[in-house]
Each structure stands twice: as C-alpha cells, then as structure tokens.
Amino acid sequence: MKLSILDQAPIPKGSTSTDALQFTKDLAKLGDELGYHRLWMAEHHSATSLSSSAPEVTIAHLAALTNRIRLGTGGVMMMHYSPLKMAEVFKTLSALAPDRIDFGVGRAPGGDHLSIQALAQGRASIPDDQYDKLATTLQLLNDQKTNDPLYNQVIATPHEVKLPEAWLLGSSGNSARQAGKQGVGYSFAQFFNGEMSKEIFDTYRHYFEPSYFMPKPEINVSYAVTVAETKDEAEYFALPIDLSRLFLMRGQMPQTFSPEDAQAYPLTEMDKAILAKNRALHLVGTPKEVSKQLLKEKEEFGFDEVMVNSNQYSFEARLNVYRLLAKELLS
C-alpha cells in the first residue's frame, strides 16, 4: 500500500509560524528517507494555528531538500485563483522537479468569509464555476485550446513541460463523478466527516476517463492518525487533537494544547459525548492496531493509498507517528 503525508504546518501552543515551517522541512526529509510516496501541503488562510497558506511555495522549497518523494498541494483552493496562474505555477514546478509534482485542488475556501473577500480583493466570488475552472486549468497545463474564449489567446508558460499528476479533493459523490470525468485522481478527506463509502469510489471509477494526468483511476484517503508504542500513550497524545476538533466545531481555531494542558481542560458531559462521537474521525492506537484498521478499510472500500495527517503538540511525537507507521506498513 502506498503511504503518504498530508501536512498542515500546525503551530502548537508556544511555537511560531516559522517553527512550524521549519518542522515541515524536517518532516519532508524524514518522509523521503522512510519511503513515503508523497507529501502534500494544505492551504489555510487567516488561521493562527496553521502555517500552510502558500502550499505551492512550500513544495518548491521542499523539492530542493528531498530526492524522491512526490510533493504536491492538498490542495490549492482554486476558487481564489485564475486557471492561467494555476497552470503556470504548476508547469514551473514540474519543470524544476520533473516527475515529482502533484497538482491537487479543492473547492473549499480554506478560510472564513473575511479571508475569502480579501483574497478576491473585495470582488464577489463565483464558487459554482469551479469544475469548469478545473477543466480549463487542465487544458492550459496540457497546452490545449480551452472551452473558454478568455484563455484561448494565451499560452501557459513554461511551454511543453512534463505535466504534474492532477488530483481533485472531495468528500461526496458529485466530486467523485467530476474527478472521474476529468481524468484526475480522487482524494477523499475521511478525517473531515468520516462518510467514506464504496459507492462514492465506485462512482469515481464508473465515470473515469483516462487522461494525460492520470491514465487509470487512483484514489487516496486522508486520515487523522495518532500512534505511539502503547495504547495509553497514544490516547495521551491524541487528546489535544480531539480538543482542537471540538473548538473547530465552535468556530474557534486555537493553537494545539500540550497533552498536559489538554488533560487539565474542564470538559462538560456534552463535550465528552462530542469527543467520543468524533473519535470516528481520528485513528488512535498502537502502530499495529492502526495499520490493521487501515489495511482492512483499504480492502473494504477499495482505495489505493493512505495519506496520514498527524498534528501532535510535540514535533518529536509527530515524527514518531510517521516512523512507527512506516516501520509497520513500509518495511
């Protein structure tokens, strides 16, 4: 099974944005050494707890620090950018790091309504055109005429470079169908809502049309994961992440608590019930337990690759998650 990394450059309490991005560099180098297939950077705006706002810039830097791991965006939030700009950025990246770049895009805003307005310079956004925007971007990447007269008189440069892999992020049947029709990979965010189904993946495969970007259907699934040498230790490291999701449900995004502060946080009975329900979105346990579940779900749902998101407070604990999983699944 392919094993990959989804990084959001989290900023734990007591750390800085600069610390978070320095940690990302170390994570990429570790993933490269351990045999992880790819590392994707997320895109989040106006979030003081996450430092990944410009994933395409970050992966350019990471490409210079690594040797073989694929690097991409998970994903560029395409509502904010023109097809020409996206095509030129990823053609440039592909020319600089041939056969190692992934163009991953999503339809979510990656921020609140104020950051959406600011990114659009106050102009009204048009979110309903995003599948058309993806189709236009793919045509520009592939040096083709588009279905949009606005772009038919321009060339996305650099010209005639080997193209990146292309992926659409999603968590619904509609995004799966569109990913298939456009001939790109499908990346399912299991840690968003936990609603993975075989029907969604079957829809993607049914509608899939081979393309330059993806000759055959490919599905990866992103999980939030915490593993440690013992179950109790894993639970200890997992609680801060569980609290972060609880705060997010309340519209808050504070920096991740330390495990000690998380243990001392006063939880109501309702909070405890929500944490228990949300645990379906967070795999916690020993490396063997979690690996067994991942392999079981791969067989049950029929996907090709697991992407691991691990946002522990301690950077060493984060690195250890990836070490332990690699030892279990890649050795």
Side-chain angles (χ1 to χ4, degrees):
M1 178 173 66
K2 293 177 183 175
L3 190 62
S4 297
I5 299 168
L6 174 63
D7 188 29
Q8 298 170 311
I11 311 168
K13 205 169 182 179
S15 296
T16 67
S17 296
T18 299
D19 294 333
L21 288 169
Q22 293 298 319
F23 290 158
T24 286
K25 290 162 58 174
D26 292 339
L27 178 58
K29 288 187 280 190
L30 179 69
D32 197 39
E33 294 166 6
L34 292 177
Y36 278 81
H37 183 61
R38 69 179 97 236
L39 181 149
W40 282 358
M41 298 301 302
E43 179 178 329
H44 293 280
H45 300 286
S46 200
T48 57
S49 59
L50 301 171
S51 199
S52 184
S53 60
E56 69 281 10
V57 175
T58 307
I59 65 171
H61 185 69
L62 298 181
L65 300 176
T66 54
N67 297 311
R68 46 148 296 278
I69 192 169
R70 297 190 65 88
L71 297 159
T73 49
V76 164
M77 299 295 101
M78 60 181 166
M79 68 181 294
H80 305 305
Y81 313 109
S82 80
L84 179 60
K85 182 61 177 175
M86 289 189 287
E88 291 189 330
V89 165
F90 280 84
K91 290 178 83 171
T92 300
L93 287 168
S94 296
L96 291 169
D99 297 315
R100 294 183 59 205
I101 298 299
D102 299 333
F103 172 53
V105 296
R107 297 171 299 124
D112 59 17
H113 71 281
L114 293 175
S115 58
I116 294 171
Q117 287 184 320
L119 285 162
Q121 297 180 275
R123 296 187 294 269
S125 61
I126 311 173
D128 294 338
D129 71 347
Q130 291 193 79
Y131 293 130
D132 290 339
K133 179 180 279 191
L134 174 58
T136 299
T137 307
L138 294 175
Q139 289 166 329
L140 289 169
L141 278 166
N142 207 9
D143 299 325
Q144 295 175 326
K145 288 290 186 181
T146 74
N147 298 322
D148 189 330
L150 177 63
Y151 298 100
N152 277 343
Q153 304 306 313
V154 298
I155 297 171
T157 55
H159 192 51
E160 295 180 344
V161 301
K162 186 169 178 62
L163 303 182
E165 285 188 9
W167 293 77
L168 177 65
L169 281 63
S171 57
S172 70
N174 189 43
S175 58
R177 181 168 57 253
Q178 289 292 333
K181 285 182 174 181
Q182 302 208 30
V184 300
Y186 185 56
S187 181
F188 186 86
Q190 172 68 355
F191 71 103
F192 278 7
N193 57 25
E195 295 179 357
M196 179 167 59
S197 73
K198 193 172 183 300
E199 288 73 23
I200 289 176
F201 297 159
D202 286 345
T203 295
Y204 165 68
R205 292 192 185 92
H206 174 76
Y207 283 96
F208 185 83
E209 297 179 10
S211 73
Y212 182 101
F213 302 93
M214 200 70 68
K216 61 185 180 64
E218 295 281 345
I219 299 169
N220 68 41
V221 177
S222 300
Y223 289 87
V225 176
T226 299
V227 297
E229 282 80 359
T230 68
K231 174 75 171 176
D232 288 345
E233 189 180 7
E235 290 288 349
Y236 178 73
F237 287 126
L239 182 57
I241 298 172
D242 292 340
L243 287 180
S244 292
R245 184 176 290 275
L246 179 67
F247 295 135
L248 182 61
M249 293 173 68
R250 297 171 177 168
Q252 304 166 346
M253 288 187 69
Q255 292 174 295
T256 306
F257 284 12
S258 70
E260 294 81 8
D261 288 344
Q263 295 292 330
Y265 185 81
L267 292 169
T268 66
E269 291 304 311
M270 178 63 74
D271 290 338
K272 293 176 183 177
I274 294 171
L275 289 182
K277 182 179 180 181
N278 285 346
R279 179 47 68 85
L281 307 177
H282 186 186
L283 302 187
V284 179
T286 66
K288 191 171 291 295
E289 289 170 339
V290 170
S291 296
K292 183 178 179 181
Q293 183 170 348
L294 290 172
L295 290 168
K296 177 177 177 291
E297 294 194 3
K298 177 182 181 295
E299 182 69 23
E300 179 181 353
F301 294 103
F303 53 82
D304 306 290
E305 174 184 351
V306 165
M307 298 199 82
V308 174
N309 174 250
S310 184
N311 285 358
Q312 272 68 40
Y313 170 82
S314 158
F315 185 62
E316 184 55 36
R318 287 183 67 207
L319 291 183
N320 203 39
V321 168
Y322 294 105
R323 291 191 192 103
L324 291 171
L325 287 176
K327 186 176 180 181
E328 197 67 37
L329 291 169
L330 297 178
S331 57

